[in-house]
Amino acid sequence: MPGPDHLVVVGASAAGLSAAETLRREGFTGTLTLIGEETHAPYDRPPLSKQLLTGDRQPPDITLRDHAALAGLDLELRSGCRATGLDTDARTVTLSDGDRVRYDGLIIATGLRPRRLPFGHDLAGMHVLRTLDDALALRAELAAGPRVVVLGAGFLGSEIAASARELGVDVTLVDAEPAPLIRQFGAEVAGLVAATHRDHGVRMRMGRKVSDIEGADGRVAAVVLDDGTRLAADVVVVAIGSVPAVDWLAGSGVPVGDGVRCDEYCRAAPGVYAAGDVANWPHPGLGARVRFEQRTNAGEQAIAAARNLLAEPGRETPYAPTPFGWTDHYDSKIQIHGWCPAAARTEIVAGDPRERKFVALYRIGDRVVGAVGWNSARTLREYRGRVTAPGHADACGG
């Protein structure tokens, strides 16, 4: 049976680029098209809320591959083109410029789109952060030393608050949860994250929701909380989560629901696979569907999807990763291996939390299901082999 002639990857960030590189590395010599909505060359997203935002790194520093490396892949890079439709019968992807790209095999790696408030986004000074352009626009505003309110204390919001404080900006962090990153780390480690923010001068309004955004002369002026508190603000960053970018798949026949719904091989439909933040699949070790928003998963799942797309029928390999992620706050690097379910018991096994240098294990019964290292990368590696899946879908992100 002849192999595919034309493969298409939709999404030109980490997952999409990794998929394209894997297809070439695995021996595909036909036509390869990489479609990206942004005009920039593929770049890395984690620095956007960290080193790029603080100015420690510049846009060329976060580019994933230089021009020579991209040219070596012998691919057609369609930058600045958004996928607007998919016809799985005709096997074509429709682009925003009206063009239709034929495929024999397709990998969807379109990632996420940021959630927005139902109000306020028409005002100057309101920001979300997903793209390089988003980060550069926010960085330009932070340079003026504004009063900043960050809405959402998950990974993204907490990192933005830390980066803004490193720039000397006045920052208030707001979240409905009782502590930053409590869903990701549990109460004990989240309490340390909160203490670290306080040590660096971040004001926190935890357990509060936003009821309104006030403006003046077309610009944001204040955030109003559900208890009536009014927080004066020159800049507001909305970091209340993201949704998978699957709107373009409406009517395609590709199953969607909290992402592209795949099987354990990352396959969503005949000849159609998904990888990265957008992929929702049944994790063999969990017995449940998951979707990982992690930089490491983006690369690893892209490799798995590309290999399975090229594999002979019956020779596909299930994708069953142990998640790994990290977050940077001030001078702290916090790494997560495995799962940190709310029901898990936290045990400090090395170091001292008071010194912000330790390893914590997360246990359910006698099983170690996750491990967190705070400024302890080497020690964390010693415990990674003890981590096993908890048997349900509560997972760390990153």
Side-chain angles (χ1 to χ4, degrees):
M1 182 176 179
D5 175 63
H6 189 178
L7 300 182
V8 173
V9 180
V10 181
S13 193
L17 180 60
S18 291
E21 290 178 327
T22 303
L23 292 170
R24 288 303 193 208
R25 192 164 54 245
E26 294 293 313
F28 175 68
T29 58
T31 302
L32 178 58
T33 302
L34 179 61
I35 298 167
E37 183 174 356
E38 298 183 61
T39 57
H40 305 288
Y43 61 85
D44 212 12
R45 293 193 190 278
L48 296 183
S49 57
K50 306 167 191 171
Q51 299 91 346
L52 194 286
L53 198 59
T54 61
D56 290 338
R57 298 177 72 178
Q58 300 303 322
D61 301 328
I62 67 171
T63 300
L64 288 169
R65 301 291 182 271
D66 61 22
H67 179 76
L70 288 176
L73 292 174
D74 187 26
L75 54 75
E76 179 189 20
L77 179 59
R78 300 289 297 269
S79 298
C81 284
R82 184 170 62 89
T84 59
L86 173 64
D87 186 331
T88 53
D89 292 328
R91 295 206 168 198
T92 58
V93 176
T94 301
L95 304 183
S96 53
D97 62 3
D99 196 8
R100 285 182 171 82
V101 181
R102 184 190 64 81
Y103 69 85
D104 299 312
L106 172 68
I107 296 177
I108 298 169
T110 44
L112 306 170
R113 299 195 189 284
R115 285 195 177 97
R116 297 172 183 264
L117 296 172
F119 44 75
H121 286 280
D122 58 329
L123 297 170
M126 291 289 291
H127 293 263
V128 295
L129 199 162
R130 175 64 185 173
T131 68
L132 174 56
D133 289 340
D134 291 338
L136 292 175
L138 177 57
R139 187 171 81 173
E141 293 229 59
L142 293 180
R147 297 164 297 178
V148 177
V149 176
V150 180
L151 305 178
F155 281 114
L156 181 63
S158 194
E159 289 171 358
I160 291 169
S163 296
R165 277 304 298 153
E166 289 191 62
L167 293 171
V169 171
D170 180 288
V171 178
T172 302
L173 183 60
V174 178
D175 198 280
E177 297 293 334
L181 294 168
I182 193 167
R183 290 185 179 180
Q184 291 81 4
F185 293 133
E188 185 170 355
V189 175
L192 294 172
V193 175
T196 302
H197 276 306
R198 284 193 295 268
D199 290 346
H200 286 83
V202 174
R203 289 185 295 275
M204 286 178 289
R205 296 293 185 133
M206 296 293 105
R208 297 266 65 93
K209 296 181 180 179
V210 178
S211 61
D212 196 14
I213 300 291
E214 294 181 354
D217 299 322
R219 185 172 186 89
V220 64
V223 174
V224 181
L225 304 183
D226 55 358
D227 64 353
T229 300
R230 183 179 181 276
L231 305 174
D234 306 302
V235 168
V236 174
V237 186
V238 179
I240 55 175
S242 302
V243 295
V246 296
D247 54 303
W248 65 285
L249 297 172
S252 68
V254 170
V256 297
D258 188 31
V260 176
R261 294 178 67 85
C262 306
D263 62 15
E264 65 270 32
Y265 307 113
C266 308
R267 179 175 52 214
V272 179
Y273 292 73
D277 296 346
V278 77
N280 179 313
W281 85 103
H283 191 294
L286 293 173
R289 285 190 165 272
V290 294
R291 188 174 59 78
F292 291 164
E293 296 180 13
Q294 294 174 318
R295 172 62 178 85
T296 49
N297 180 70
E300 292 172 1
Q301 192 166 27
I303 292 170
R307 287 175 174 169
N308 284 336
L309 187 157
L310 294 175
E312 295 291 333
R315 298 181 66 87
E316 302 93 342
T317 302
Y319 182 58
T322 298
F324 174 77
W326 73 92
T327 183
D328 296 329
H329 286 63
Y330 312 104
D331 58 352
S332 296
K333 178 175 285 292
I334 312 169
Q335 297 173 305
I336 316 107
H337 184 73
W339 294 264
C340 308
R345 183 178 77 259
T346 306
E347 176 188 2
I348 305 298
V349 293
D352 188 342
R354 292 170 298 184
E355 297 177 1
R356 303 297 193 269
K357 186 178 178 63
F358 65 92
V359 171
L361 298 184
Y362 291 74
R363 297 180 182 273
I364 294 181
D366 295 330
R367 301 175 68 186
V368 176
V369 299
V372 167
W374 191 311
N375 287 335
S376 299
R378 181 176 300 177
T379 306
L380 178 63
R381 285 195 292 271
E382 298 173 10
Y383 288 92
R384 289 177 64 166
R386 300 173 61 180
V387 173
T388 59
H392 53 75
D394 289 335
C396 295

